Amino acid sequence: MSTLSIERMSELYGHWTALWRGDFTRADEILDPGFVVHQARPDGSDSEAVTGPARLLPEIEQTMAAFGDVALTVDLGPIVQGDLIAARWTLSARYAGGLDHAKAPVGTPVAFSGHDILRVSGGRFVEYWTCTDVLAGLTQLGAVSGPNGPARA
C-alpha cells in the first residue's frame, strides 16, 4: 500500500496528464521501469508484452501525431484510495491526419472520454488499467460506423 499523501498522489496524476499533453520531461521520474499497461487492444495484441516508459511513450507520440490542439480535461478525480488513483477524463483535439480509414478532413474537432486506474509503488506508477472510448473518436473521424451514426462518405 502506498504511504504517499493524497496531495502527492494527486500531483503524480497531474504529471500523468502532462504526459498525455505531450510533456515527457517527468516520464522517467513517474513511470517505473517495470510499468505495465492493462488494456484491451483493438488489434488483439498483448498490451503487457512491453513494459516501462518504452510501452507507453510511443502510444502517446502516436496520439500526438494524429491530433493537434490537444486538451485533456479531468472530469472526475483524481480519486485516491490506498495505492490507487482513478479518474475520468475527456480528450478534445483537432484531427491532424494520418489515421487509416478516417474520412474526416484535417482540422476536424474530436472529443472522446476514458477512465484511468493507476497503481503507485515507490512514488512511481507501476500499473495502468485504461478504458477509452476509441469507437467515439473513430466514429467522429468517419473511420467506422458506430452508435453515434454512420461513417461519413
Side-chain angles (χ1 to χ4, degrees):
M1 170 122 10
S2 177
T3 58
L4 299 179
S5 69
I6 290 174
E7 292 78 17
R8 178 62 182 137
M9 296 279 277
S10 295
E11 180 183 341
L12 275 173
Y13 192 75
H15 296 319
W16 171 260
T17 60
L19 283 178
W20 287 96
R21 292 181 187 103
D23 179 357
F24 294 175
T25 55
R26 294 182 181 253
D28 289 334
E29 176 186 329
I30 68 168
L31 298 175
D32 189 81
F35 177 77
V36 176
V37 176
H38 306 283
Q39 176 185 40
R41 311 257 322 152
D43 63 3
S45 62
D46 180 3
S47 71
E48 300 172 22
V50 177
T51 60
R55 163 59 182 89
L56 184 67
L57 300 184
E59 186 170 321
I60 296 173
E61 288 171 336
Q62 289 171 355
T63 301
M64 297 287 101
F67 299 102
D69 299 329
V70 173
L72 184 70
T73 304
V74 178
D75 304 320
L76 180 64
I79 300 167
V80 176
Q81 183 174 343
D83 62 352
L84 299 174
I85 301 173
R88 176 174 172 79
W89 50 264
T90 298
L91 185 139
S92 302
R94 295 208 173 269
Y95 179 51
L99 293 179
D100 289 343
H101 309 293
K103 296 175 179 70
V106 168
T108 297
V110 178
F112 54 90
S113 296
H115 297 64
D116 293 337
I117 300 173
L118 295 131
R119 188 170 68 82
V120 175
S121 180
R124 292 181 171 185
F125 294 116
V126 294
E127 286 186 276
Y128 171 44
W129 294 265
T130 183
C131 182
T132 303
D133 192 357
V134 174
L135 182 59
L138 292 175
T139 300
Q140 292 168 57
L141 295 174
V144 297
S145 293
N148 300 322
R152 296 181 186 128

